[in-house]
């Protein structure tokens, strides 16, 4: 138990930035460039950690709380979620709800920290982020409703248990729809193309990146590290649905989990390379569309 | 229960949503073409390879998947029109309505007095949902091309219903329906051309004005 928990934490904390590196490398390969080394995110984090901090005089403690919560929330959320076949150490009935709303808590603090700077530009980004988040939330919850219908229990361990392999045979269509919907949620939540561009800092259509403009040095590093952790935790949900294998061997399971995460990173990189960013007005339309598709998946599973 | 047929039917429903939410006429036409092509596979998947289903499938594919979309795309190119003039009640409300209709179709289908072998399948709900989505497109869109697409989607819904009865219905009836559809689309093409020449737009609301 303790070994599993420690292994899970190490997997999450040590390998999360590597996913960003893989995504960047995939995008570079599509663009015909060699690209930065896959370990570049680690060097970036190290560089940010050694820098000084500039803090605006208008800010309060909320500005400091934002990045801290952004890192702690994915770690806490990961304790509720089975990572691959490695079962979650913390598990109780209804932890699904806590899992979903932990991310809402993190978003609240990031948005509050952005508003705390008093910059109208960041306020705009916060407004957009919160709007899109509340449109993406029903999709995530409906996805869990489908999983709950197929499982016998309301813990994340039960929802994402080994029964999923059999469930693909009996209600594969609903699961496939939910995987697509969750993929959209993953891209929105992590501010990836086609919903947001993690590389631009000076465009009016950007959403997430604008909120962190005032953060510098270690605080920015914490936010970027938190984003990487979030990507891995949300990615773990999708990966477990697509790849519900349980070998029983601890190290083999960990290897499968990591392999799956990197395949997911390559998929994200591919999506980012082949799609253009959507116009801002189209994003809510797509999100409502995915919610409706998720509703449809629930209807399919309920009959 | 979840065979190839059901996957095809689910894809048909997803294409319904796409046509309701998409604002590009080009991709809308392609989506409806894909829907027609998928529908052509359904008789084969549901009833196996017989002379009847092969003729039906090939006929439906040629008309719904190739010929009619080609005619529409060609008309669109000639009119140099890319984007439709916008629905009457916005894309998101239309999509929500579409989802409500689809759910209602699923609930309604369970109350119908069906034969036991048709009960619980996806045929009836899909056909009803596609039918009503076609109606919705016809009602909420203002430009003639989208209305033709609505008509096509509506007919696709009827086709799904007909596939359920493919063994009972003679081939002539289905061939007649497909021919009617083709003639209908051709006539609409001519009407579209006239509207375009008269008003230099495809917005059918102009037709209700008393004087041009």
């Amino acid at each position: 138990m303790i070994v599993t928990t420690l292994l899970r934490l190490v997997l999450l904390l040590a390998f999360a930035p590597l996913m960003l590196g893989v995504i960047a490398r995939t995008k570079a390969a599509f663009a015909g460039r060699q690209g930065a080394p896959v370990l570049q995110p680690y060097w970036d984090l190290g560089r940010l950690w050694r820098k000084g901090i500039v803090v605006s005089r208008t800010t309060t403690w909320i500005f400091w709380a934002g990045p801290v919560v952004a890192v702690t929330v994915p770690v806490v959320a990961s304790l509720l979620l089975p990572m691959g076949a490695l079962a979650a150490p913390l598990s109780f009935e209804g932890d699904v709800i806590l899992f979903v709303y932990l991310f809402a808590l993190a978003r609240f603090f990031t948005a509050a920290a952005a508003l705390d700077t008093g910059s109208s530009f960041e306020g705009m980004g916060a407004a957009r982020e919160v709007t899109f988040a509340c449109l993406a939330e029903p999709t995530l919850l409906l996805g869990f409703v489908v999983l709950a219908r197929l499982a016998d229990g309301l813990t994340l361990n039960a929802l994402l248990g080994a029964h999923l392999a059999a469930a693909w045979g009996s209600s594969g269509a609903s699961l496939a729809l939910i995987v697509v919907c969750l993929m959209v949620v993953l891209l929105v939540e992590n501010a990836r193309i086609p919903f947001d561009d993690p590389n631009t800092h000076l465009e009016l259509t950007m959403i997430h990146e604008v909120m962190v403009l005032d953060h510098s040095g270690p605080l920015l590093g914490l936010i970027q590290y938190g984003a990487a952790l979030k990507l891995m935790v949300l990615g773990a949900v999708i990966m477990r649905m697509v790849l519900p294998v349980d070998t029983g061997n601890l190290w083999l399971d960990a290897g499968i989990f990591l392999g799956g995460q990197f395949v997911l990173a390559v998929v994200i990189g591919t999506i980012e390379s082949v799609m253009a960013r959507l116009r801002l007005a189209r994003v809510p339309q797509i999100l409502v569309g995915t919610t409706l598709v998720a509703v449809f998946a629930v209807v399919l599973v309920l009959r | 229960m979840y065979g190839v047929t059901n996957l095809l039917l689910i894809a048909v429903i997803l294409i319904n949503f796409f046509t309701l939410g998409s604002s590009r006429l080009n991709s809308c036409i392609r989506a409806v073409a894909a829907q027609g092509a998928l529908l052509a596979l359904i008789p084969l998947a549901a009833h196996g390879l017989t002379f009847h289903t092969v003729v039906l499938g090939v006929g439906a594919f040629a008309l719904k998947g190739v010929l009619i979309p080609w005619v529409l795309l060609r008309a669109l190119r000639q009119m140099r029109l890319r984007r439709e003039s916008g629905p009457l009640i916005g894309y998101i409300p239309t999509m929500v309505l579409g989802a409500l209709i689809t759910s209602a179709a699923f609930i309604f289908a369970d109350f119908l007095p069906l034969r036991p072998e048709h009960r619980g399948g996806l045929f009836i709900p899909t056909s009803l949902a596609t039918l009503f989505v076609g109606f919705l497109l016809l009602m909420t869109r203002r430009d003639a091309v989208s209305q033709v697409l609505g008509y096509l989607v509506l007919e696709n819904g009827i086709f799904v219903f007909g596939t359920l009865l493919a063994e009972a219905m003679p081939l002539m009836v289905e061939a007649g329906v497909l021919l009617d559809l083709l003639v209908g689309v051709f006539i609409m093409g001519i009407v579209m051309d006239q509207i375009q020449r008269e008003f230099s737009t495809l917005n059918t609301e102009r037709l209700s004005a008393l004087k041009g």
Side-chain angles (χ1 to χ4, degrees):
Chain A
M1 186 69 195
I2 291 174
V3 179
T4 318
T5 311
L6 282 179
L7 179 66
R8 287 164 46 93
L9 279 177
V10 168
L11 282 179
L12 178 70
L13 295 175
F15 287 95
L18 197 57
M19 276 185 83
L20 296 182
V22 174
I23 291 177
R25 200 59 187 256
T26 315
K27 286 169 81 172
F30 265 91
R33 291 179 286 118
Q34 195 186 354
V38 276
L39 293 181
Q40 188 62 39
Y42 293 94
W43 302 122
D44 286 346
L45 287 177
R47 175 173 51 87
L48 286 171
W49 194 249
R50 288 195 303 272
K51 281 192 171 180
I53 302 182
V54 181
V55 180
S56 156
R57 269 194 297 279
T58 61
T59 57
T60 59
W61 62 273
I62 293 175
F63 183 76
W64 292 81
V68 176
V69 176
V71 170
T72 39
V73 157
V75 176
V76 176
S78 84
L79 293 179
L80 301 170
L81 182 79
M83 288 164 77
L86 308 178
L90 266 181
S91 190
F92 51 90
E93 284 294 311
D95 56 2
V96 186
I97 309 287
L98 180 63
F99 179 78
V100 173
Y101 285 96
L102 269 176
F103 285 105
L105 178 76
R107 196 172 307 114
F108 171 78
F109 270 96
T110 324
L115 292 172
D116 199 37
T117 59
S119 145
S120 54
F121 197 37
E122 291 191 33
M124 207 163 64
R128 286 171 181 170
E129 165 98 351
V130 175
T131 311
F132 293 161
C134 78
L135 288 171
E137 198 176 277
T139 312
L140 189 58
L141 279 173
L142 285 169
F144 282 129
V145 167
V146 169
L147 289 176
R149 170 79 182 172
L150 298 173
D152 49 350
L154 276 178
T155 63
L156 276 170
N157 264 342
L159 293 192
L160 297 167
H163 71 280
L164 278 175
W168 273 100
S170 60
S171 43
S174 298
L175 280 178
L177 292 180
I178 289 301
V179 166
V180 174
C181 289
L182 288 185
M183 194 70 201
V184 172
V185 171
L186 176 81
L187 293 176
V188 173
E189 287 277 330
N190 291 292
R192 317 293 315 185
I193 293 173
F195 301 99
D196 191 5
D197 192 340
N199 294 325
T200 57
H201 285 275
L202 286 169
E203 285 227 26
L204 280 173
T205 48
M206 65 191 181
I207 302 150
H208 185 81
E209 295 303 314
V210 70
M211 296 202 301
V212 301
L213 276 181
D214 266 57
H215 294 275
S216 54
L219 286 183
L220 184 61
L222 277 182
I223 283 182
Q224 290 186 352
Y225 189 49
L229 295 178
K230 189 175 171 184
L231 180 65
M232 195 164 200
V233 170
L234 285 177
V237 178
I238 295 179
M239 215 214 73
R240 178 65 178 162
M241 284 180 68
V242 178
L243 207 72
V245 244
D246 245 334
T247 55
N249 182 329
L250 190 64
W251 303 103
L252 203 57
D253 280 340
I256 290 174
F257 173 73
L258 273 186
Q261 288 286 333
F262 292 133
V263 172
L264 184 69
V266 171
V267 170
I268 293 175
T270 313
I271 293 174
E272 294 211 331
S273 307
V274 298
M275 286 189 81
R277 194 176 55 208
L278 293 165
R279 279 188 298 128
L280 201 63
R282 296 270 297 162
V283 176
Q285 208 174 321
I286 301 273
L287 290 179
V288 171
T290 50
T291 309
L292 296 179
V293 171
V295 170
F296 176 54
V298 173
V299 169
L300 274 183
V301 120
L302 281 182
R303 34 193 335 257
Chain B
M1 172 179 171
Y2 274 88
V4 182
T5 322
N6 280 356
L7 287 180
L8 287 174
L9 289 171
I10 288 168
V12 165
I13 294 184
L14 289 181
I15 292 176
N16 285 344
F17 284 131
F18 181 83
T19 43
L20 283 178
S22 164
S23 62
R24 275 163 211 266
L25 283 174
N26 253 332
S27 46
C28 258
I29 294 176
R30 295 225 167 82
V32 173
Q35 194 177 42
L38 286 177
L39 284 181
L41 291 176
I42 289 179
L44 299 174
H47 299 293
L49 277 175
T50 61
F51 175 70
H52 186 155
T53 55
V54 168
V55 172
L56 191 62
V58 170
F61 179 78
L63 280 183
K64 289 169 190 276
V66 181
L67 190 59
I68 292 174
W70 180 73
V71 169
L72 283 176
L73 281 174
R74 194 164 157 272
L76 207 61
R77 250 201 318 279
Q78 281 176 348
M79 291 163 195
R80 292 197 187 78
L81 190 88
R82 282 280 169 273
R83 219 169 276 272
E84 62 176 80
S85 39
L88 282 175
I89 50 169
Y91 291 106
I92 294 180
T94 332
M95 280 167 79
V96 172
L97 267 180
L100 283 179
I101 287 172
T102 306
S103 314
F106 270 81
I107 295 166
F108 180 61
D110 286 342
F111 288 109
L112 286 176
L114 299 171
R115 293 179 63 184
E117 68 262 31
H118 295 161
R119 199 169 278 282
L122 281 179
F123 269 103
I124 307 283
T126 310
S127 121
L128 289 175
T130 313
L131 202 73
F132 286 121
V133 165
F135 270 130
L136 198 62
L137 273 176
L138 272 171
M139 284 187 289
T140 56
R141 298 297 153 93
R142 276 187 282 226
D143 60 309
V145 178
S146 295
Q147 289 178 353
V148 175
L149 287 178
Y151 173 65
L152 285 175
V153 171
L154 195 152
E155 208 282 331
N156 283 349
I158 298 172
F159 185 86
V160 174
F161 212 98
T163 333
L164 196 62
L165 309 171
E167 283 152 350
M169 216 197 284
L171 192 58
M172 282 308 287
V173 175
E174 275 152 8
V177 170
L178 284 176
L179 193 65
D180 278 354
L181 178 72
L182 184 66
V183 173
V185 169
F186 267 113
I187 292 173
M188 285 182 207
I190 296 167
V191 171
M192 260 153 56
D193 197 43
Q194 289 292 330
I195 299 174
Q196 164 83 5
R197 274 197 204 154
E198 195 67 31
F199 302 116
S200 69
T201 164
L202 274 183
N203 195 334
T204 50
E205 280 200 330
R206 300 288 288 273
L207 289 178
S208 55
L210 281 175
K211 285 215 165 158

